[in-house]
Amino acid sequence: WWFYRLQPQFWLCLLLALAFAALVNLNPGSIDAQPEKALLLRHSMLLMSIQPLLLAVLAPLAFCRDGQHGISALIDVSAQSLRQRLAVRATGLWLTAMAMQLIFLVMVALVMSKGLADSSCIWRWSLILLLVQQVPAITLLVALFLWLSRHSQSPLALYLQGAGIWLGYMLLAAATGSPLMANSQSISPLLSQLMLYLDLYALSPLLAQLQQQGAMPAGLLQLEMTFWLNRLLVVSIAAWLCWRALRPGTSALPQPEQRRRTLSMRSAAQSAAANVLLQNQTQGQYQPCPPGALTFWPVFRGLIQLQWQQLCWQRSTLLALLALCGLIFSEVYTGLGYAEHFSQLLPNS
């Protein structure tokens, strides 16, 4: 907390997350005969749309700050071991995410209990969802960022992982006909069946039980075995990732001695590359051109071609285009058989 509270990035993320949660809960809508279902959807929406991005922004502050500020060698010789440092930082990140989730929980429960004669069920189910849905999901997300930070000290990798989790779950929710995604329908029964066990946020098994029984279970003991298998799988994967990340000797990052050797070899390679580049330049790779010989359209066409080549060959650009194509395909394909109220798919004439 003493470290995070001094980071402007932390406060900016906090304000943006609270603003988004307030906008989501600004209009609670009509509470139907199943307020527990509306509560489940509201908690799941905040969990899936905020936590992956929030953790992706805060994870570099927790795991990559030593390398970013060039003090890795100083931190390595401290009395605290690498495993202890990673455990403390992962715990701090998990506590920060859980504190944000508690704020969301209170906010949603207050909004959903407004206008109800007996709001005890809202608060009881909010606590149940916190324990069995949100805590395992946030634990797995933190474990994923911890594991990736042991293999890459680049903040961009953590950002891409958070964006991939966020967008990937939205695509899966649209492909399985989740009520969180408007106008979506299931495209494969096999995929819907797999999501009962692989759903990170356990929304699919809860909605399946609600559809079968017609009402939410009264307590934890009434939850089906599919839900508990889903939670057991999520917790097991989180524990395995933490074990892999905290196990000594498994990191792909260089140790202090190896880091010094790598830096010396890299500097030698950079100097050699600079000499080769200087030789190429002196051999006439770049020919002088007087200003009078320049024409507008060839230069402009060359600049446009250079910019397009630099843009299209960036890996982040290709990943963003691929994700955009997947999102458009999912939205269009899952909405082919959907028609608004008082509308029809096939015309009369």
Side-chain angles (χ1 to χ4, degrees):
W1 164 252
W2 289 101
F3 174 78
Y4 280 119
R5 73 182 185 90
L6 298 176
Q7 305 298 320
Q9 192 174 359
F10 167 73
W11 294 107
L12 180 61
C13 294
L14 179 65
L15 293 177
L16 291 178
L18 291 178
F20 180 79
L23 288 176
V24 170
N25 294 281
L26 188 62
N27 183 17
S30 59
I31 305 300
D32 53 7
Q34 295 178 332
E36 293 88 356
K37 178 183 177 181
L39 181 71
L40 171 64
L41 295 179
R42 191 63 56 88
H43 279 303
S44 301
M45 179 166 42
L46 291 178
L47 183 63
M48 64 172 277
S49 58
I50 294 181
Q51 287 297 345
L53 300 180
L54 179 66
L55 289 172
V57 175
L58 296 181
L61 296 177
F63 304 125
C64 302
R65 62 177 185 259
D66 299 341
Q68 285 181 317
H69 298 287
I71 58 174
S72 300
L74 182 63
I75 298 298
D76 290 336
V77 298
S78 61
Q80 196 176 31
S81 65
L82 178 61
R83 180 184 298 182
Q84 292 174 347
R85 289 198 306 270
L86 291 175
V88 169
R89 295 179 183 184
T91 304
L93 183 63
W94 183 84
L95 290 176
T96 303
M98 285 305 305
M100 290 294 300
Q101 197 62 37
L102 282 175
I103 296 176
F104 299 154
L105 183 143
V106 174
M107 186 184 302
V108 171
L110 288 175
V111 173
M112 299 293 292
S113 61
K114 186 184 300 183
L116 294 179
D118 185 13
S119 60
S120 60
C121 61
I122 296 294
W123 290 99
R124 184 179 70 252
W125 257 104
S126 296
L127 293 177
I128 291 176
L129 291 177
L130 175 67
L131 293 176
V132 299
Q133 182 198 29
Q134 299 162 17
V135 170
I138 293 177
T139 303
L140 180 56
L141 290 176
V142 173
L144 283 171
F145 286 106
L146 173 62
W147 174 81
L148 183 61
S149 67
R150 290 282 284 160
H151 294 80
S152 174
Q153 282 289 299
S154 174
L156 181 61
L158 300 180
Y159 296 152
L160 289 178
Q161 178 178 268
I165 294 173
W166 176 76
L167 183 60
Y169 188 83
M170 285 192 174
L171 293 177
L172 288 176
T176 54
S178 174
L180 291 177
M181 308 299 293
N183 307 340
S184 62
Q185 56 183 348
S186 178
I187 62 175
S188 173
L190 178 60
L191 182 60
S192 301
Q193 191 67 24
L194 287 176
M195 283 294 288
L196 295 177
Y197 301 95
L198 302 179
D199 194 341
L200 173 61
Y201 307 116
L203 182 62
S204 299
L206 288 175
L207 290 177
Q209 185 175 356
L210 175 64
Q211 185 178 2
Q212 292 177 0
Q213 300 180 359
M216 294 294 289
L220 290 175
L221 298 179
Q222 283 72 33
L223 293 172
E224 292 184 349
M225 186 58 63
T226 306
F227 174 83
W228 294 114
L229 289 176
N230 177 283
R231 296 293 85 187
L232 179 62
L233 182 61
V234 168
V235 172
S236 301
I237 295 176
W240 181 77
L241 289 175
C242 290
W243 174 74
R244 291 284 299 177
L246 299 178
R247 190 177 65 171
T250 59
S251 175
L253 301 178
Q255 299 299 323
E257 183 65 27
Q258 297 176 354
R259 188 182 297 116
R260 286 191 293 268
R261 295 178 182 177
T262 303
L263 290 177
S264 62
M265 294 174 61
R266 186 180 302 172
S267 61
Q270 289 177 354
S271 60
N275 293 330
V276 173
L277 180 61
L278 183 60
Q279 293 176 2
N280 292 335
Q281 290 179 355
T282 56
Q283 291 175 1
Q285 184 179 3
Y286 297 99
Q287 298 293 337
C289 182
L294 295 177
T295 55
F296 176 75
W297 289 112
V299 175
F300 182 74
R301 184 173 63 251
L303 291 176
I304 294 296
Q305 182 179 1
L306 178 62
Q307 293 297 327
W308 272 106
Q309 289 178 354
Q310 292 179 350
L311 181 64
C312 294
W313 285 106
Q314 292 287 336
R315 294 182 180 179
S316 58
T317 304
L318 297 178
L319 289 176
L321 291 176
L322 182 62
L324 180 61
C325 293
L327 182 61
I328 294 175
F329 174 79
S330 175
E331 290 292 328
V332 173
Y333 186 80
T334 56
L336 291 177
Y338 178 81
E340 297 286 346
H341 295 291
F342 304 107
S343 301
Q344 57 186 13
L345 292 175
L346 301 177
N348 293 328
S349 61

